[in-house]
């Protein structure tokens, strides 16, 4: 259960012709992928909710705190991704450092994270598109607008169609995916910069007072919706105040989810030892700066107590009498969410592909397309399944599972750096995480703290999914493991 797969063997497995992925990505491609997946519903939606309910203008500090937590994890990811340039991200890293069972658990966790993330974003994209259609008096039938809109049966045809189209793009090739992403990211970043630059002219200094509003005890009820930290330690989470900033950080963390997807593309990178650290850290730094700037501008344009929860950026411009900018922001959000959806789907298929190539899932899914050199079988399977989930399911309550799944992956990767430094100190490392062991330990502590601020219900669902994964491993994965067969 705890046999490890050597770095050398992981790299050799990528050289088998029928299981090899095409290397076509540069540092710029990786940075664009990172920015493309990070900037999404988080900045377009969460800013208003967190400022109004939790942190006030100090939302900018909450974004900075969440960015620091991600940066700690990113430094650990950068060492692994440059040392083990193999598809699978945290799954592959755990296999090399912590053993097969831990690798399976983290791979199973990533399957949940990316699948739910893709479906949630697809449903969010559908909502933005319907909103734009309403602006020109085009109305979708309720029955095709999803279960959130229709009474009774509802199928979200737009979310379903989006996932299928993106599946086709991913099958055709990574370079095409990178080109589509580059165009869309340019539009999305342009909209964010427009918000920052145009919004500067409408800022009123009095809206920043008080910058950190007085603390209020958060009403949680102490039940399933309460944070786990309250159940364990009797800690009363607060809205506003200094502690409210940390509560807000655990919420806005969702806005950063996705930078770890860059690591799943390590095997398809031309010079992974050099370009993976640049892509991971570069995209995270760019997005953190944009997030802090946007939150400062929006809370300066409109008092935090008056901000909209559903569309804070667009509605802030409406409140200042500039509806043109509001429409442009809605368009940018709708366009931008397509890349978030596509790159999450990409990460999902690469993890599934890596687990299949190792025999922990059926090897049928580890064959690459003879022409496009992409893992077309898992891409098609997962694309269709996620499209159906997005079409039929109202899954807002499951979105927090994406948070806990990502934070769990951060913990495993940070621990993996510590273990691999001790077990293989002489392994060539193109990028070395600084301040080891202090930085990985701080990364683990920060990630665990944010996990403890998530609801008890989220932990229960996460534990159930993990238990199912362990059962599948012992029923199928352990006996079909390629590493186990080689050992026998």
């Amino acid at each position: 259960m705890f046999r490890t797969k050597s770095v050398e063997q992981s790299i050799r497995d990528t050289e088998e012709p029928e299981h090899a992925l095409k290397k076509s990505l540069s540092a710029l491609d990786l940075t664009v992928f990172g920015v493309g997946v990070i900037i999404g519903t988080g900045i377009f939606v969460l800013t208003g909710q967190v400022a109004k309910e939790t942190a006030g203008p100090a939302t900018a500090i909450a974004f900075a705190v969440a960015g620091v937590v991600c940066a700690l994890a990113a430094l650990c990811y950068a060492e692994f991704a440059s040392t083990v340039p193999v598809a699978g991200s945290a799954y592959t890293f755990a296999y090399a450092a912590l053993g097969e069972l831990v690798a399976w658990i983290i791979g199973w966790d990533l399957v949940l994270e990316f699948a739910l993330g893709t479906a949630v974003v697809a449903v969010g994209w559908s909502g933005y598109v319907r909103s734009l259609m309403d602006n020109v008096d085009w109305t979708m039938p309720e029955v095709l607008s999803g279960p959130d809109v229709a009474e009774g049966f509802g199928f979200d045809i737009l979310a379903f169609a989006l996932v299928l189209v993106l599946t086709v793009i991913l099958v055709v090739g990574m370079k095409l995916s990178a080109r589509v992403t580059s165009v869309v990211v340019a539009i999305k970043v342009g909209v964010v910069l427009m918000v920052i630059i145009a919004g500067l002219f409408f800022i009123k200094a009095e809206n920043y007072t008080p910058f950190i509003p007085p603390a209020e005890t958060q009403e949680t009820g102490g039940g399933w919706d309460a944070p786990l930290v309250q159940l364990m330690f009797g800690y009363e989470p607060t809205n506003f105040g200094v502690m409210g900033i940390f509560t807000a950080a655990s919420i806005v963390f969702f806005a950063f989810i996705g930078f770890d997807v860059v690591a799943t593309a390590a095997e398809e990178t031309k010079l992974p030892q050099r370009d993976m650290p640049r892509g991971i850290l570069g995209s995270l730094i760019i997005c953190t700066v944009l997030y802090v700037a946007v939150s400062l501008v929006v809370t300066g344009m409109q008092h935090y107590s008056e901000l909209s929860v559903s569309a804070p950026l667009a509605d802030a411009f409406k409140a200042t009498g500039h509806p043109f900018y509001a429409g442009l922001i809605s368009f940018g959000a709708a366009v931008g969410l397509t890349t978030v959806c596509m790159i999450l789907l990409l990460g999902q298929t690469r993890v599934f592909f890596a687990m299949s190539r190792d025999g922990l899932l059926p090897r049928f899914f580890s064959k690459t397309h003879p022409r496009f050199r992409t893992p077309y079988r898992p891409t098609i399977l997962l694309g269709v399944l996620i499209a159906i989930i997005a079409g039929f399911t109202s899954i807002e309550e499951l979105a927090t599972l994406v948070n806990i799944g990502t934070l769990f992956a951060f913990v495993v990767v940070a621990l993996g750096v510590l273990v691999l430094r001790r077990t293989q100190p002489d392994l060539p490392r193109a990028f070395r995480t600084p301040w080891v062991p202090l930085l990985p330990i701080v990364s683990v502590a920060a990630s665990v703290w944010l996990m403890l601020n998530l609801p008890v219900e989220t932990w229960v669902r996460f534990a159930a999914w993990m238990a199912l994964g362990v059962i599948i491993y012992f029923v199928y994965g352990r006996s079909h493991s390629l590493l186990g067969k080689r050992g026998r």
Side-chain angles (χ1 to χ4, degrees):
M1 289 188 297
F2 298 101
R3 54 197 172 210
T4 58
K5 185 178 181 181
S6 70
V7 174
E8 295 78 9
Q9 183 60 55
S10 294
I11 294 175
R12 280 197 298 271
D13 286 348
T14 69
E15 297 168 353
E16 298 176 6
E18 63 179 5
H19 302 293
L21 298 172
K22 184 178 180 180
K23 298 182 182 295
S24 61
L25 301 178
S26 65
L28 178 61
D29 291 327
L30 294 172
T31 303
V32 169
F33 269 130
V35 174
V37 72
I38 295 172
I39 297 180
T41 51
I43 190 60
F44 289 114
V45 176
L46 287 180
T47 307
Q49 175 189 338
V50 170
K52 188 171 185 176
E53 301 174 0
T54 312
T59 297
I61 302 177
F63 273 115
V65 170
V68 168
V69 174
C70 290
L72 295 172
L75 289 167
C76 299
Y77 267 92
E79 174 170 326
F80 262 125
S82 60
T83 306
V84 193
V86 178
S89 183
Y91 158 76
T92 300
F93 309 155
Y95 213 159
L98 301 175
E100 186 173 274
L101 178 60
V102 177
W104 166 267
I105 289 173
I106 196 66
W108 188 246
D109 164 58
L110 290 174
V111 167
L112 173 73
E113 173 197 339
F114 294 148
L116 286 181
T118 305
V120 168
V121 173
V123 172
W125 174 87
S126 172
Y128 271 108
V129 172
R130 290 197 306 273
S131 176
L132 287 171
M133 291 170 65
D134 289 340
N135 290 341
V136 292
D137 295 327
W138 292 355
T139 304
M140 290 282 296
E142 284 192 1
V143 71
L144 297 178
S145 298
D148 285 337
V149 178
E151 295 183 4
F153 175 82
F155 181 75
D156 196 331
I157 188 67
L158 293 176
F160 176 81
L162 173 67
V163 176
L164 291 185
V165 170
L166 296 180
T167 298
V168 173
I169 292 174
L170 289 176
V171 167
V172 170
M174 278 294 286
K175 199 61 187 177
L176 174 61
S177 305
R179 287 170 182 162
V180 172
T181 302
S182 298
V183 173
V184 176
V185 167
I187 296 172
K188 181 161 55 176
V189 172
V191 169
V192 173
L193 290 175
M194 182 271 294
V195 170
I196 296 170
I197 295 170
L200 287 173
F201 296 97
F202 310 121
I203 289 177
K204 295 179 180 178
E206 58 266 26
N207 288 334
Y208 289 130
T209 304
F211 192 78
I212 302 178
E216 300 174 359
T217 301
Q218 190 181 117
E219 296 294 334
T220 63
W224 288 105
D225 294 334
L228 183 63
V229 67
Q230 182 179 1
L231 190 68
M232 293 175 63
F233 307 114
Y235 163 74
E236 290 289 338
T238 60
N239 291 328
F240 308 115
V242 174
M243 293 308 296
I245 294 173
F246 293 99
T247 303
S250 68
I251 299 172
V252 301
F253 178 81
F254 182 82
F256 288 92
I257 282 176
F259 84 84
D260 55 322
V261 179
V262 176
T264 67
E267 193 175 324
E268 294 159 276
T269 304
K270 295 175 183 176
L271 297 170
Q273 289 77 10
R274 182 196 70 184
D275 294 342
M276 286 306 301
R278 293 181 180 181
I280 293 173
L281 295 171
S283 58
L284 185 60
I285 291 170
I286 290 170
C287 292
T288 302
V289 171
L290 291 176
Y291 281 3
V292 171
V294 166
S295 57
L296 284 172
V297 167
V298 170
T299 52
M301 290 175 61
Q302 193 174 16
H303 194 267
Y304 72 88
S305 61
E306 299 173 356
L307 283 173
S308 160
V309 173
S310 58
L313 277 62
D315 290 347
F317 278 99
K318 286 182 182 178
T320 57
H322 295 83
F324 169 76
Y325 290 113
L328 203 58
I329 291 169
S330 295
F331 172 75
V335 172
L337 291 180
T338 58
T339 57
V340 181
C341 197
M342 182 172 72
I343 300 169
L344 285 174
L345 182 58
L346 179 149
Q348 160 87 305
T349 58
R350 269 44 179 185
V351 172
F352 199 94
F353 169 78
M355 296 174 73
S356 171
R357 188 165 58 188
D358 290 333
L360 300 181
L361 290 171
R363 292 267 290 174
F364 169 82
F365 295 108
S366 65
K367 297 285 182 69
T368 54
H369 194 281
R371 177 183 173 188
F372 303 123
R373 310 307 302 169
T374 57
Y376 69 107
R377 289 175 176 174
T379 301
I380 293 171
L381 171 69
L382 295 169
V384 172
L385 288 177
I386 295 172
I388 294 172
I389 292 172
F392 278 110
T393 314
S394 173
I395 51 178
E396 287 126 345
E397 69 276 6
L398 298 181
T400 50
L401 277 172
V402 183
N403 278 16
I404 197 170
T406 304
L407 288 164
F408 180 64
F410 286 3
V411 170
V412 172
V413 170
L415 292 175
V417 168
L418 292 175
V419 172
L420 207 60
R421 284 286 187 95
R422 179 173 292 274
T423 57
Q424 298 189 50
D426 299 326
L427 187 69
R429 291 170 170 83
F431 178 89
R432 298 179 70 88
T433 302
W435 308 311
V436 173
L438 178 61
L439 189 145
I441 291 173
V442 173
S443 177
V444 170
S447 297
V448 169
W449 173 251
L450 292 186
M451 290 173 74
L452 291 175
N453 277 277
L454 293 171
V456 175
E457 187 176 18
T458 299
W459 281 86
V460 172
R461 288 171 172 163
F462 181 67
W465 176 259
M466 290 294 103
L468 175 62
V470 170
I471 293 172
I472 293 175
Y473 170 74
F474 282 107
V475 171
Y476 180 89
R478 188 181 181 198
S479 59
H480 290 79
S481 165
L482 206 59
L483 185 63
K485 291 180 178 178
R486 285 170 180 156
R488 291 191 291 272

